[in-house]
Structure formats: structure tokens, C-alpha cells
Amino acid sequence: MGLKLLKTKLGKIELETPIIMASGTFGYGLEKVDFIDIKKIGAITTKTITFSPWKGNPQPRIYETYSGMINSIGLQNPGVFYFVKNILPEIRKKYKKVFVSITDKTEKELLEIVKIISKEKVDAIELNLSCPNFEKKRKMISQDPDLTYKVIKMVKNETHIPLIAKISPNVTDIKEIAIACEKGGADILSLINTVKGLRIDFKKMKVIDGGLSGPCIKPIGLKCVYDVYKVVNIPIIGIGGIVKGMDALEYIMLGATAIGIGSGFFNNPNIIDDVYFTLVKYLKENRYETIENIIGLLNEKC
Ligand SMILES: Cc1cc2nc3c(=O)[nH]c(=O)nc-3n(C[C@H](O)[C@H](O)[C@H](O)COP(=O)(O)O)c2cc1C
């Protein structure tokens, strides 16, 4: 009963549950974590990969803040070739739906990754257009609507695999960027990535410039989903500060078709069960037949 109730569709992608592991916070999902019931996960989004391996930033890369954390991982990853040969086959064995997150510094490298990934069995490509600790001097792609449109269109032309655009909340008007993604051909939107933040490490007398995540960013994520849902017709994956079931419900009622669990997994290992059972309980108690009945219930399209 539970599974049927929670079935949802991200465009053409059918998910058993709306619970998606957000990129970067669950690694490649291959660690042995006995306390997680894999069946409750609708899809896993893998940690962002690039064409060549990236070393990432020096340690430490994670700092606690009030109600959240700042990370400056710097997209450490083994590169697309290693990923496809050694990691992806293992992920495929374990998860029903696999979304592969990608990014790079140049269009050429980005297209190479897209070509390589498109030969594999993956359910979606998530284009990370929004990493705040990525090449500090350069503007993020998703801070520029014209560039966003151009990059999405370019990637879309190279692949038959559904394309997710993951965008940043660090913009003047996120609606403008979301519309550019849809016009460029994105099939799904993921929002939000981390919010730019700072803190000082007094022991090292160092400024930590990174991406803020966790419960402190939930109101920002909710507002982004609320605004974007009104102006696009593609499905949204709502991410940001989900630490318990009711948080996920908020995102769904504001228009998210599925939700992403990120750093919430670090401090609540039961978060998947929590979200799953909260959603099932809510739907049953309020006599909804499917979760699709409550997507955007408290929001309106323009
Ligand atoms: C340690 C860490 C690593 C992350 N790595 C990635 C990444 O590789 N690619 C990506 O698109 N987002 C990455 N993110 C962003 C998350 O997927 C998510 O969008 C963000 O943390 C907001 O959700 P949360 O508040 O639930 O963590 C990372 C976040 C954290 C905390």
C-alpha cells in the first residue's frame, strides 16, 4: 500500500517513492549502511563528476554553523572514465533509479562527459549549474539566464537521457533562471543547491568560504520552489534543509514532485524512514489516493 501511495512521476521517470538522495551527501551510495531500507529511496543522485579527476580543496572542508553546515569540498571526484568503469555498475546493481550529476569548467569537457554518460544505462543526467565553490572567480552558469539557456540546449542536443538542471538560490530572481532552463530543454529542475556562506576558523585564522546547507536554508528552498512552481511546467525536485518528514511534505505541497535529502542525512540517519512514514501517514489520514494529489496543493500556477 505504502509504495503505491507514494509513486510519483518526474516527467517520464517513474519513481517508487519521491525520496531522492541529493548529490554529494550520500557519496555514490555504495557504503554498507544496514539501517537504510533501499526500497524507500526513489532515486539516487550521484556526487558530481567531472571529465578529469579533481582533487578538491584541502581539509577540513566541512564546518558546523548554527542549524547547518558550510562545505567547501571543491567537487573532489575520480573523473568520468573511472566512474563509468568502476562505480556506476555497482550503483546500478543497488538502486532502481540512478541520476548522474555532472559539471565541468569548459563546454568541451562537459560535452565529452555527456557523450560518455549517454552510452550508459542511467535514468537522468543532473547538470550541476550551481556549485558555489567551483572556480571562485567565475560566475556560476546558473547566475546568468542566457548562459543557462545556452548550456542546457547544448547538452540536450547531445543526449537522449532526461536532463535535470540543478540551480543556485544565489540569484536576484530564480524564476528567470528556471524559465531559461525550461526553454533550453531541461526536463526537470532541482532546487536548491547550497547558499553562499562564510565563517572564520579562528584556530587557523582563515576565512571559510563555502556552501551553506541544512535546516537554516529550508525557508530559502521553500520560497524558491514556491516561486518557480508558478512559472514552469516541468517537474521540480525540492531540496534544502529537509531533516524530517514534515519538511518534505512542505516542499511537496508547494509544488515539488519529489524531494532531495542532503545534509539532513548526516544528523538524522533515520531520515528516509521518517520522510517515508510521515508522507504515508499524512496521505492515509487525509484520504488521498496518491501523493500526486497533494503536489502544489498550497500553490497556484500563474
Ligand atoms: C558535503 C556536501 C557535498 C555536496 N556536494 C554536491 C555535489 O557534488 N553536487 C551537487 O549538485 N550538490 C552538492 N551538494 C548540495 C546538496 O546536494 C544540496 O543541494 C544542498 O546541500 C542543500 O540541501 P540540504 O540542505 O538538504 O543539504 C553538497 C552538499 C553538501 C553538504
Side-chain angles (χ1 to χ4, degrees), residues 141-291:
I141 296 170
S142 68
Q143 284 178 322
D144 178 336
D146 296 337
L147 186 59
T148 298
Y149 170 81
K150 191 182 140 211
V151 171
I152 301 250
K153 205 168 162 55
M154 181 185 83
V155 168
K156 203 48 202 170
N157 282 340
E158 282 299 330
T159 187
H160 60 283
I161 296 175
L163 187 62
I164 307 172
K166 181 158 181 189
I167 58 177
S168 167
N170 284 116
V171 288
T172 314
D173 183 1
I174 197 161
K175 299 192 291 302
E176 203 183 47
I177 307 297
I179 291 168
C181 291
E182 186 175 34
K183 279 197 183 141
D187 300 287
I188 300 156
L189 288 171
S190 242
L191 49 132
I192 57 175
N193 209 313
T194 50
V195 180
K196 282 186 179 205
L198 263 195
R199 61 161 290 179
I200 289 177
D201 180 338
F202 279 106
K203 274 196 196 139
K204 297 201 164 95
M205 282 307 279
K206 206 177 142 201
V207 172
I208 312 302
D209 188 343
L212 182 64
S213 63
C216 56
I217 71 163
K218 191 184 79 173
I220 301 171
L222 290 176
K223 172 71 174 148
C224 289
V225 168
Y226 182 71
D227 287 349
V228 166
Y229 177 77
K230 292 178 185 298
V231 296
V232 298
N233 290 310
I234 49 177
I236 299 169
I237 303 170
I239 311 173
I242 297 177
V243 288
K244 54 187 172 61
M246 290 308 282
D247 301 329
L249 194 59
E250 278 186 86
Y251 272 101
I252 292 166
M253 288 202 168
L254 295 177
T257 294
I259 54 92
I261 292 178
S263 42
F265 183 64
F266 297 156
N267 46 17
N268 177 7
N270 292 322
I271 189 163
I272 295 162
D273 271 5
D274 192 347
V275 170
Y276 183 92
F277 289 120
T278 303
L279 295 179
V280 169
K281 186 167 177 274
Y282 184 85
L283 293 171
K284 280 187 181 170
E285 279 179 4
N286 291 282
R287 297 175 199 276
Y288 288 108
E289 278 172 18
T290 151
I291 189 137

Side-chain angles (χ1 to χ4, degrees), residues 22-25 47-48 62 69 71 73 75 101 126 128 166 192-194 213-214 217 239-242 260-264 266:
S23 178
T25 48
K47 181 162 178 47
T48 302
I62 290 188
M69 56 187 266
N71 90 80
I73 308 280
L75 293 183
S101 170
E126 183 170 274
N128 178 0
K166 181 158 181 189
I192 57 175
N193 209 313
T194 50
S213 63
I217 71 163
I239 311 173
I242 297 177
I261 292 178
S263 42
F266 297 156

